[in-house]
Amino acid sequence: MMPPPLGHLHSIQVGRPQKYESGADSTKPWTSAIEKHLLNGPVHVGKLNLAGDEQADLVHHGGPDKAVLAYALGHYAIWKQEIPDRQFSPGAFGENLTLAQVDEFNVCVGDIVRLGTCVLQVSQPRQPCWKLSRRWNLPKLAVEVQKTGRTGWYFRVLAEGEIEPGMPLELEARPYPDFTIAWASSVMYAKPRNPREDLRLAQCPALSQSWQTTLLKRSQGKGSVDDSLRLFGRGNDEQPQR
């Protein structure tokens, strides 16, 4: 007997880089693909992104470990209550896939899922940066995303295929049931840091290479860049020029 689906695909969003003019909090224009538009499908999922989706900065963003960004549908009701003057709807946080019935507490690093004819694997939590804040003109939004743990997560693509809204998200394997997205984020942002937990997470083979490298260095006392600076866009790390 097949296990019940982990959740289902509520909506699909893609976007291409566009240039934004400087604002009151910026001295120069900026480029991002964080604004997404809905697709009804079917949509092809490739090794590096969905058809019609791109990243603006291929040095620090995108790549095999961060091919597809997912976000929990359930978070939107909370954001609307907390920030009622913004029109948050699926895709508002730059995600490609808005997923129902799942969140950071019931999705684990390394989970292998089937969606339509493609197979995906969870690689790391999403790390929001200043572009999310600027997109909504909310200077503290990226901070709140990290504090609340409503971050979303990335998938790598193990097998390319076609997807469309309404499809079930079927869990095929969960090799690391203790490594929830919520736990992984708590390790990355722990204050004070915990070298033992850093090493434990760094040794997870399914974790993205960038997180493995960062956490391994930290566990050895070699971390030189403050994570909070990288998180909010004042360093060279991770997210989203999406």
Side-chain angles (χ1 to χ4, degrees), residues 110-125:
D111 280 1
I112 297 175
V113 300
R114 180 172 294 276
L115 185 61
T117 58
C118 71
V119 179
L120 310 173
Q121 184 178 41
V122 178
S123 59
Q124 69 165 76

Side-chain angles (χ1 to χ4, degrees), residues 16 18 23 27 29 39 52 58 73 102 118 126 138-139 141 145 148 151 158 163 175 192 199 208 217 219-220 225 235:
R16 297 186 187 277
Q18 55 182 304
T27 59
L39 291 180
L58 296 179
L73 176 65
V102 292
C118 71
R126 182 253 192 102
L138 293 169
L141 182 58
V145 167
T148 61
T151 59
L158 301 184
I163 62 174
L199 181 59
S208 68
K217 288 181 178 179
S219 73
Q220 299 170 343
V225 180

Side-chain angles (χ1 to χ4, degrees), residues 6-192:
L6 184 63
H8 73 268
L9 176 57
H10 175 77
S11 62
I12 304 169
Q13 293 84 214
V14 299
R16 297 186 187 277
Q18 55 182 304
K19 192 172 183 178
Y20 298 84
E21 296 303 319
S22 58
D25 61 343
S26 175
T27 59
K28 58 183 179 180
W30 55 289
T31 302
S32 178
I34 195 168
E35 286 198 51
K36 306 294 185 184
H37 63 271
L38 286 167
L39 291 180
N40 292 321
V43 179
H44 181 74
V45 180
K47 285 289 186 178
L48 296 179
N49 48 36
L50 278 67
D53 194 58
E54 296 179 3
Q55 296 82 33
D57 178 2
L58 296 179
V59 175
H60 302 123
H61 309 288
D65 282 341
K66 295 181 286 183
V68 180
L69 177 60
Y71 202 67
L73 176 65
H75 292 339
Y76 279 102
I78 304 172
W79 287 117
K80 287 178 182 178
Q81 288 181 340
E82 295 176 348
I83 313 176
D85 61 343
R86 293 296 189 275
Q87 298 299 311
F88 291 139
S89 61
F93 285 76
E95 77 270 19
N96 302 118
L97 309 181
T98 308
L99 300 174
Q101 299 169 293
V102 292
D103 61 23
E104 290 78 6
F105 290 91
N106 62 7
V107 170
C108 301
V109 174
D111 280 1
I112 297 175
V113 300
R114 180 172 294 276
L115 185 61
T117 58
C118 71
V119 179
L120 310 173
Q121 184 178 41
V122 178
S123 59
Q124 69 165 76
R126 182 253 192 102
Q127 287 183 278
C129 81
W130 61 270
K131 292 194 174 185
L132 178 63
S133 298
R134 187 168 296 169
R135 183 254 187 273
W136 288 103
N137 195 26
L138 293 169
K140 295 184 178 180
L141 182 58
V143 180
E144 290 303 311
V145 167
Q146 186 256 308
K147 284 183 177 179
T148 61
R150 301 194 291 265
T151 59
W153 56 90
Y154 281 108
F155 288 112
R156 62 173 62 90
V157 180
L158 301 184
E160 298 186 9
E162 307 294 316
I163 62 174
E164 57 185 301
M167 285 181 164
L169 186 71
E170 300 173 328
L171 181 64
E172 294 205 335
R174 174 163 283 172
Y176 308 103
D178 296 330
F179 287 25
T180 66
I181 291 296
W183 175 77
S185 291
S186 74
V187 171
M188 178 61 81
Y189 306 125
K191 291 185 178 181

